[in-house]
Amino acid sequence: MAFDFEMIKRVYAGMHSKVEAARKTIGRSLTLAEKILFSHLHRDQPLQNFERAKTYVNFAPDRVAMQDATAQMALLQFMQAGRPTVAVPSTVHCDHLIQAKVGAKEDLDTALSVNKEVYDFLASVSNKYGIGFWKPGAGIIHQVVLENYAFPGGMMIGTDSHTPNAGGLGMIAIGVGGADACDVMAGLPWELKWPKLIGIKLTGKMSGWTSAKDIILRVAGILTVKGGTGAIIEYFGEGADSLSATGKATICNMGAEVGATCSLFAYDDKMSIYLRHTAREDVAAAADAIKQHLRPDDDVYANAEKYYDQLIEINLDELEPHVNGPFTPDLAWPISKFAEAVKANAWPEKLEVALLGSCTNSSYEDITRSASVAKQAIDKNLKAKAEFTITPGSEQVRYTVERDGLLDTFDKIGGVVLANACGPCIGQWARHIDDTNRKNSIITSFNRNFAKRNDGLASTHAFVASPEIVTAFAIAGDLTFNPLTDKLKNENGEEVMLDEPAGYELPPKGFAVEDPGYQEPAKDGSNVQVVVNPESQRLQLLAPFSEWEGTDLKGLRLLIKVKGKCTTDHISMAGPWLKYRGHLDNISNNMLIGAVNFFNEKTDLVKNELTGEYGPVPVVQRAYKEAGIGSIVVGDENYGEGSSREHAAMEPRHLGVRAILVKSFARIHETNLKKQGMLALTFADKEDYDKIQEDDTIDILGLADFAPNKALAVVLHHDDGSSDVISAHHTYNEHQIEWFKAGGALNIIRRKFAK
Ligand code: SF4
């Protein structure tokens, strides 16, 4: 089920009629993103005129990919659905939990022992439910997906922000939270706000030191970290077709850094060649046969301004290599201006560590071009002055570059090869540094460079550049060096220059791998036991939430009246709590600890109405739960904004909170609450927020007639014997009301499969 060519054939078979129908309905030519979106509408979603409508639309993605950290709760929830197998081909990738410390082998061994219970769980749950499992060391999710699963014209969701990497093979691939992944694997539709479109026309052709990374570094400088929000970015033009598929993937990967929903390139010969080199001749042939649907209509290229909300043009003939940073990926410096910026801002000039790799830049092309720079260091008697690490993106790439002698080249200039995993890119890096407060500089070919991201140190200035520029800087050890113009002094005291990098898009001898690290799921998983140690502190099997009792909710206590901003991070904090993300009861000890209590302006200190004493929010809520008393959380505007983390909805549900009543919700969080069987309500009159008093006992009435667009009554019984009756709105549709009644959306699916 992990790789499913039959599925791809089905998608392609249906594409023609769906694209034609959409073109007819809309009455104009279509961009590529529109063709893919229209051909993935969920069967329950009528084809309407979506053009520029700010509509939430139901889709049916073809695939799901999950990384090991986020897969845990997604799969624990999926188990609640009671399905024998996942509804769409899905994979799990063990890449985020491996800490880089010494080198590939030792670090992998340590991770296997430290994370054993998580890996055992993920391997067994994958085996049982038809999910492809990529073991620790197999590679980074996005590189493995590109090499094995991405296909032109497809739609995928993945529980990781850089899922859009697969746009390099012409796929709409979008990063989501675990709850969305769970829904799609369970067979539910997936909802997305119809995106805006940004067109980026690439003219000319790159040469010399410039590479695909520099295109996205330049785009980040233009759009900034928010400029792509809610949009799909489509690249086109002669410059687009000249880029390798992996170069395209680099650009799509970092679209996440401008906030884009995803990024996309049209199907071309480069993609066809890549598919054939990665043992997918059948997919290439099938894509060739429907090529016209895997590229925009002709008029889109001819009159691009008519089709895109925003249009940007970049001339690759003139594009310089870029270095972006520090602390944000949109601070873009052309290399000719970078040294000046380093000096003007007093950033540490000495480069301490150069890090090559990550899901963004670890293709064969990246590594050969970087190795060509490293080889010159050997030939010209130069030594790498900075520490230098190399993270291959997959075992297939690692094995192939080792076979071709490239790892040996890095080794000769002091490079250390790390495990095929995220490592320093996600802060899994035991960095050796004498003084953690000393301002210092590092450069990476990764994507994100926010403070503390790589090594947890606020003092580290992290810059982002292409792999070949990172390698040149590793050799120079100095951020004011410009490899295009400057000379370096070698071991003999002679001045030498580095020549332009050269490499291969794809291995001339083909890819090779001995053990790719893949576990095929059982054909029939019905007898496979999912491995979870009942004593585990990191994993806990979920029990289904209970159904609605069929009555109004009376006698609820006010747990907290939140003042001001309350993001999902205030509701379920990250940091040290992330290790419990597979253990609902343990992680619930962070519930709402970041929210400010209206009555005392303090965080994590609320009144326990049973004792009259103040205590931490989770402790007080557990006391209510134990006493069999429901509670309610009251919130301000845009409650639950931020990441889509499902824990923020599951924790209150688990601890017995019955309703969240706020001035307004962030939409994704509101939906997550509904999916968990919670009541998500808004004040009909926002000023009623002021009527909520600390000692109130609260009733929610009208649930027997719970219906779309029908308000519920909320009675506030105040401590002085008086009361207020206020009105609460909701946005539940018929389906969602059924979720509430059943105690959660997954309970409904489970009932269906239990029949
Ligand atoms: S390599 Fe970095 S960006 Fe890529 S998936 Fe891992 S943590 Fe995310």
Side-chain angles (χ1 to χ4, degrees), residues 444-498:
T444 79
S445 69
F446 308 164
N447 39 40
R448 297 211 160 144
N449 62 345
F450 297 113
K452 300 189 185 178
R453 163 120 177 150
N454 303 117
D455 58 6
L457 303 180
S459 53
T460 295
H461 293 52
F463 297 87
V464 180
S466 69
E468 37 280 67
I469 292 290
V470 166
T471 308
F473 273 116
I475 295 164
D478 181 351
L479 283 186
T480 62
F481 172 66
N482 178 353
L484 281 71
T485 53
D486 297 348
K487 293 189 170 132
L488 292 167
K489 204 166 258 177
N490 73 6
E491 297 290 298
N492 311 334
E494 299 152 354
E495 293 208 316
V496 293
M497 271 195 84
L498 294 172

Side-chain angles (χ1 to χ4, degrees), residues 96 140-142 160 162 358-359 422 425-426 447 453:
H96 275 58
I140 306 171
I141 176 168
H142 312 303
D160 190 89
H162 292 93
S358 90
C359 62
C422 301
C425 182
I426 190 66
N447 39 40
R453 163 120 177 150

Side-chain angles (χ1 to χ4, degrees), residues 350 352-353 387 429-442 455-457 459-461:
K350 180 177 175 226
E352 304 204 3
V353 195
E387 259 184 68
W429 184 21
R431 186 170 169 200
H432 326 279
I433 185 165
D434 52 345
D435 176 0
T436 51
N437 294 318
R438 178 167 51 75
K439 272 172 68 175
N440 70 96
S441 292
I442 65 170
D455 58 6
L457 303 180
S459 53
T460 295
H461 293 52

Side-chain angles (χ1 to χ4, degrees), residues 95-373:
D95 55 1
H96 275 58
L97 303 178
I98 302 172
Q99 191 187 42
K101 192 168 183 185
V102 188
K105 166 125 187 24
E106 298 87 336
D107 295 346
L108 183 58
D109 286 348
T110 307
L112 286 169
S113 115
V114 172
N115 302 312
K116 184 173 184 322
E117 58 181 327
V118 174
Y119 295 147
D120 286 350
F121 165 69
L122 293 174
S124 59
V125 78
S126 299
N127 194 20
K128 183 171 181 67
Y129 294 108
I131 300 168
F133 178 70
W134 291 82
K135 300 175 198 170
I140 306 171
I141 176 168
H142 312 303
Q143 182 67 29
V144 174
V145 165
L146 195 75
E147 287 173 6
N148 295 278
Y149 303 121
F151 66 96
M155 178 185 269
M156 175 175 71
I157 59 164
T159 59
D160 190 89
S161 330
H162 292 93
T163 302
N165 191 69
L169 272 182
M171 187 174 210
I172 284 196
I174 299 177
V176 297
D180 285 5
C182 171
D183 288 352
V184 173
M185 290 188 294
L188 290 169
W190 174 66
E191 195 189 59
L192 176 75
K193 190 173 181 185
W194 193 262
K196 291 185 296 179
L197 295 177
I198 297 175
I200 299 190
K201 184 174 185 182
L202 302 176
T203 61
K205 196 165 188 285
M206 291 183 310
S207 60
W209 282 89
T210 307
S211 74
K213 178 77 157 215
D214 300 305
I215 298 175
I216 187 62
L217 293 178
R218 172 91 183 100
V219 168
I222 296 169
L223 284 175
T224 77
V225 288
K226 288 216 172 114
T229 308
I232 292 184
I233 303 178
E234 266 190 56
Y235 291 85
F236 61 96
E238 49 171 345
D241 290 343
S242 70
L243 294 168
S244 65
T246 50
K248 292 176 167 86
T250 295
I251 293 170
C252 294
N253 177 299
M254 268 194 82
E257 272 49 72
V258 296
T261 303
C262 69
S263 305
L264 201 55
F265 281 84
Y267 182 63
D268 62 9
D269 290 348
K270 298 284 189 180
M271 291 188 198
S272 174
I273 292 166
Y274 184 77
L275 286 168
R276 290 172 204 279
H277 260 77
T278 48
R280 288 173 289 172
E281 294 81 0
D282 45 5
V283 180
D288 286 339
I290 62 151
K291 196 168 180 176
Q292 76 276 20
H293 297 313
L294 303 176
R295 295 185 64 84
D297 289 337
D298 291 343
D299 193 53
V300 175
Y301 285 163
N303 297 293
E305 63 292 340
K306 273 174 34 193
Y307 295 91
Y308 296 104
D309 298 282
Q310 185 180 356
L311 199 56
I312 293 167
E313 189 167 325
I314 296 176
N315 182 351
L316 302 188
D317 289 333
E318 294 165 1
L319 184 68
E320 278 188 57
H322 275 58
V323 181
N324 286 22
F327 308 127
T328 182
D330 57 358
L331 194 53
W333 305 100
I335 191 89
S336 60
K337 301 272 179 326
F338 183 55
E340 210 178 297
V342 170
K343 289 192 174 122
N345 291 288
W347 295 325
E349 292 180 23
K350 180 177 175 226
L351 177 71
E352 304 204 3
V353 195
L355 302 104
L356 185 71
S358 90
C359 62
T360 324
N361 277 108
S362 53
S363 64
Y364 190 84
E365 183 179 30
D366 290 331
I367 293 188
T368 49
R369 280 175 63 86
S370 305
S372 80
V373 178

